[in-house]
Amino acid sequence: DMDNVPNNGQVLKNHMVHLAEGDEEMKQFLLHKVAFLDTMVDRITSQREGSNGMVPRCEPVPAKALVILDTHHDLPENITRLPRKYGVLVRFTPRQLQADIALKLRVANGTHTAVAHAMALCKLLKTDVLSSGVSGELFMAYLDSLFACDILNGAATLYGKEETEAAYQDWRKRLCHAHFGLSTFFITQNGAAKGGIRLGPTVTSLFHDNRGVSVAMAFAFCAILKWLTPCQTTTAKEGVYRGWLEGSSTKKAAASTTEGEEYADGLRHDLEEGWYEFKCACSIDGTPVSTLLANLIAKGPQQPHSYASAIRAYLTAPDGGNLSASLVGLDVLIHAIATLYARIVAGDGIMSLLNEMNKKEGPYTDGFATDCSAIVDASSLN
């Protein structure tokens, strides 16, 4: 899978030429007769139920199912003129392809990550829940605001407002497809790094433009951190931790001896017992961020400022949030996340918290669009 490999055409070319060492005829053929084009693929595929992975199942064709960079016009003309309904788009400058990739990461991947962790924690197994019902409407209100207030404002200057909005409208239709849902638990894999890769660039752009960040963005990072929080302080077994789901408790989840159900390679969950397994590759000076969080949780409910240092460590870690520690506005975001995190680990429900934002209750005067500073105790910033 070369989709997420930068400059994948050149990478593939280098690999093939290396394999051809010792065969000069083949090497020259590769160098002069084969075009290795950079591409971006964006079409979700799964498997048909009961097929044991042998029969694929895919969503309807999106606007940019395949984007090809053809700087030297190597492609035949009939490819470059394919109707848009086929989802094939040919670009002629690296800048255009880079914009497509950036929008995929910020818009589609970013909102996917923002919602998957929260849904999984709420025991909502598949994203097709977003197509209808009270829960679906609430989560989509959250994502719509996250896009409008944060992602769009962070991307419009760089990639154009019209192009950014078109990317979200195409993605939104795909996300709300009633008959093509993906496993929310599966999407949570590598969540620590995804926060930095998919959400971090938006935060950086907003802060560089002297803009604030909404509580929707703070909630997105909070959900990731809650997912990465173990229910016990024991050392992870083979790198696997156990967390607790909505309606359960750290004590119940830790004590459960059930086998559970596999949702990804080597990772399991048990919805009835209220636990799930996860891995965390983000470390701070050799200590996994999940261990830092577990040590804090073991002390019982605390005030938000008690969690700030661990949240800062995650947000500024290269394999975590990947944000610059010098960003103006970072402290406000950290303490906003800490406010939400303190409530969730103390037992406040994720859906209840989202409802408060949606209904503009308490400090959330602008709903999900409320600036992070509204939920931060100013004294904690001193």
Side-chain angles (χ1 to χ4, degrees):
D1 182 359
M2 298 287 287
D3 176 34
N4 292 317
V5 177
N7 305 309
N8 50 20
Q10 187 62 49
V11 170
L12 185 58
K13 178 179 180 179
N14 293 341
H15 179 67
M16 294 302 297
V17 170
H18 174 72
L19 292 178
E21 289 295 338
D23 186 340
E24 189 61 26
E25 183 179 356
M26 175 58 73
K27 184 176 179 180
Q28 291 304 314
F29 176 78
L30 292 171
L31 291 173
H32 302 293
K33 298 295 184 180
V34 180
F36 295 89
L37 307 180
D38 291 346
T39 59
M40 181 192 84
V41 178
D42 187 16
R43 191 176 188 188
I44 299 172
T45 58
S46 181
Q47 60 177 317
R48 293 191 185 181
E49 293 184 13
S51 71
N52 196 29
M54 299 302 293
V55 181
R57 178 170 174 257
C58 6
E59 63 175 337
V61 179
K64 297 178 182 177
L66 173 62
V67 182
I68 308 171
L69 177 61
D70 187 22
T71 54
H72 301 295
H73 300 276
D74 293 304
L75 291 173
E77 190 172 321
N78 62 334
I79 296 293
T80 63
R81 293 186 177 182
L82 278 174
R84 292 298 294 269
K85 68 178 181 179
Y86 294 112
V88 177
L89 185 61
V90 178
R91 298 299 201 185
F92 298 102
T93 69
R95 185 182 181 88
Q96 291 175 315
L97 179 62
Q98 289 165 7
D100 292 323
I101 294 172
L103 287 176
K104 174 189 173 184
L105 287 171
R106 291 186 183 218
V107 178
N109 296 160
T111 51
H112 222 190
T113 292
V115 77
H117 292 82
M119 291 181 70
L121 287 167
C122 293
K123 304 180 184 179
L124 299 173
L125 295 181
K126 298 184 71 174
T127 55
D128 53 13
V129 171
L130 298 173
S131 66
S132 62
V134 175
S135 296
E137 290 178 5
L138 180 59
F139 276 115
M140 286 311 302
Y142 153 59
L143 289 185
D144 286 343
S145 185
L146 178 65
F147 171 76
C149 298
D150 295 300
I151 297 173
L152 177 59
N153 286 330
T157 302
L158 296 170
Y159 312 112
K161 182 179 180 182
E162 184 177 342
E163 189 77 10
T164 305
E165 288 179 330
Y168 184 63
Q169 289 308 314
D170 180 63
W171 170 244
R172 195 183 192 283
K173 288 186 294 185
R174 299 163 63 192
L175 193 58
C176 293
H177 196 290
H179 306 293
F180 193 85
L182 291 179
S183 165
T184 56
F185 280 83
F186 187 85
I187 297 168
T188 62
Q189 294 179 93
N190 302 315
K194 286 177 178 176
I197 296 170
R198 300 176 172 188
L199 299 174
T202 289
V203 174
T204 298
S205 293
L206 290 171
F207 286 158
H208 281 169
D209 290 342
N210 296 314
R211 292 178 179 269
V213 173
S214 78
V215 293
M217 180 63 79
F219 177 84
F221 277 111
C222 174
I224 292 174
L225 286 163
K226 169 57 180 72
W227 179 265
L228 297 174
T229 303
C231 59
Q232 53 193 345
T233 56
T234 55
T235 304
K237 184 177 180 180
E238 298 181 358
V240 177
Y241 295 89
R242 177 179 287 193
W244 75 102
L245 298 166
E246 288 274 284
S248 185
S249 66
T250 56
K251 190 173 183 179
K252 179 182 177 182
S256 175
T257 58
T258 58
E259 183 177 350
E261 178 181 342
E262 186 173 79
Y263 71 86
D265 290 342
L267 298 175
R268 313 182 75 84
H269 62 56
D270 188 318
L271 303 188
E272 290 188 7
E273 291 291 304
W275 60 262
Y276 61 94
E277 294 176 337
F278 67 92
K279 293 182 179 180
C280 178
C282 178
S283 295
I284 314 299
D285 296 328
T287 301
V289 69
S290 289
T291 299
L292 296 178
L293 294 171
N295 291 337
L296 289 170
I297 297 303
K299 300 176 182 178
Q302 301 179 61
Q303 291 299 311
H305 65 82
S306 301
Y307 304 109
S309 61
I311 294 172
R312 179 187 298 276
Y314 164 72
L315 288 180
T316 56
D319 49 5
N322 198 30
L323 298 175
S324 170
S326 63
L327 280 173
V328 175
L330 183 61
D331 281 351
V332 173
L333 175 60
I334 289 168
H335 286 276
I337 296 171
T339 297
L340 301 175
Y341 182 82
R343 290 189 57 185
I344 291 176
V345 296
D348 285 2
I350 286 176
M351 298 295 286
S352 296
L353 195 55
L354 288 175
N355 267 312
E356 285 181 26
M357 296 179 186
N358 193 41
K359 294 178 179 178
K360 302 182 179 181
E361 295 177 355
Y364 307 111
T365 53
D366 292 320
F368 290 114
T370 302
D371 190 272
C372 275
S373 59
I375 60 172
V376 173
D377 181 353
S379 64
S380 64
L381 300 176
N382 298 328

